[in-house]
Amino acid sequence: MKIQENAVVGLTYELKVSKEEDGIESAPFSVEIRDEEDPFYFLFGNSGLPEKFEELLGGKEDGEDFSFTLSMVDAYGEPDDELVITLPKSQFSGERGFSPEMLEEGNFLPLMDENGYSMQAKVLKDLGENLLLDFNHPLVGFDLHFEGKIIEVREASKEELAHGHVHGEHGAHE
């Protein structure tokens, strides 16, 4: 089966990122590896990944290798200064499940928005009573280099289509 809308896709890959600064592209460095022990599964057309990622996988089949680069523009774009905000440290108390170590600069805080969706913010600076947090996607501002293999393509079940995600061994459990 070819990768197409509403197919469940399983892949292994290595993701490397690079960034252009002052007209000079940095050497790509590895940030994530998904191997046979921990493959990545998603519902094609409903992955939440950059559109170009799915577009470049479309039509490929089980067993095929892939290698492509998403430019920053086609990936997560440029950083948005409006997503860097200061919040009172008191909002990140022990009663809310936060430890002092979690609030250290450079750490990512697991958060939820007002609709209950998971999100994260990077602690940029401890300002004493406040924290300077960056809510931009961690891969914003980078070119993404993917190299991998398609290990499974199958038709999504009615339940997976209704729920918008993969069920079973490689997906969400109900």
Side-chain angles (χ1 to χ4, degrees):
M1 176 176 178
K2 289 185 186 287
I3 295 176
Q4 59 193 351
E5 195 78 19
N6 298 329
V8 170
V9 179
L11 5 130
T12 59
Y13 64 81
E14 180 175 11
L15 169 60
K16 295 180 179 179
V17 298
S18 63
K19 187 179 253 191
E20 185 178 317
E21 291 187 54
D22 301 322
I24 299 168
E25 183 82 10
S26 68
F29 61 94
S30 185
V31 294
E32 182 179 31
I33 295 176
R34 299 296 293 261
D35 58 17
E36 289 81 9
E37 303 277 319
D38 183 30
F40 176 62
Y41 276 79
F42 66 97
L43 185 58
F44 192 80
N46 198 15
S47 70
L49 296 166
E51 199 175 301
K52 190 76 170 175
F53 178 84
E54 289 197 17
E55 183 184 309
L56 292 168
L57 288 175
K60 296 195 180 305
E61 299 181 52
D62 187 359
E64 260 189 82
D65 292 326
F66 61 90
S67 179
F68 54 79
T69 297
L70 298 183
S71 69
M72 174 189 61
V73 174
D74 289 330
Y76 293 100
E78 302 229 13
D80 182 347
D81 291 340
E82 291 185 16
L83 294 177
V84 176
I85 57 176
T86 302
L87 291 175
K89 233 193 238 182
S90 59
Q91 288 188 5
F92 305 99
S93 63
E95 295 82 50
R96 294 186 179 186
F98 295 95
S99 68
E101 296 79 35
M102 293 172 77
L103 307 181
E104 292 175 2
E105 292 177 16
N107 286 345
F108 285 90
L109 299 177
L111 304 170
M112 282 196 182
D113 68 11
E114 61 274 359
N115 298 317
Y117 292 106
S118 294
M119 58 189 294
Q120 62 182 4
K122 183 177 183 179
V123 179
L124 295 179
K125 190 147 185 71
D126 184 335
L127 302 170
E129 295 294 311
N130 297 308
L131 291 174
L132 182 62
L133 301 175
D134 184 351
F135 284 87
N136 281 290
H137 189 283
L139 296 175
V140 75
F142 289 98
D143 293 335
L144 310 182
H145 308 268
F146 288 93
E147 195 168 316
K149 182 174 189 156
I150 294 146
I151 59 169
E152 184 178 0
V153 181
R154 67 170 172 81
E155 206 170 304
S157 69
K158 288 180 186 169
E159 292 82 16
E160 288 171 323
L161 293 173
H163 293 176
H165 58 250
V166 179
H167 288 192
E169 181 183 355
H170 301 292
H173 299 280
E174 295 302 303

